Amino acid sequence: MLITSRVLLGAAEGPAFPVAQQTTLSWFPNHRRNLPGALIVLGITLGVVVAAPY
């Protein structure tokens, strides 16, 4: 069960960032895509910082 869950988690983790970027950026016109893209990267970084102490 542990190995199966690790494999599934790893398979889903790989495409998560490109899918999030593509989906989010499709909602905005080309000249407004900087802020949403930066917020996604910021969220990833803050997630690592918040989860690291645990």
Side-chain angles (χ1 to χ4, degrees):
M1 185 66 160
L2 179 62
I3 292 172
T4 303
S5 63
R6 294 286 299 192
V7 168
L8 291 175
L9 181 65
E13 187 178 359
F17 178 72
V19 169
Q21 283 282 75
Q22 179 65 33
T23 303
T24 304
L25 297 182
S26 69
W27 296 340
F28 294 90
N30 286 339
H31 65 282
R32 296 271 184 181
R33 290 185 176 181
N34 293 336
L35 181 62
L39 289 176
I40 290 173
V41 174
L42 176 67
I44 292 169
T45 305
L46 285 178
V48 171
V49 169
V50 169
Y54 299 105

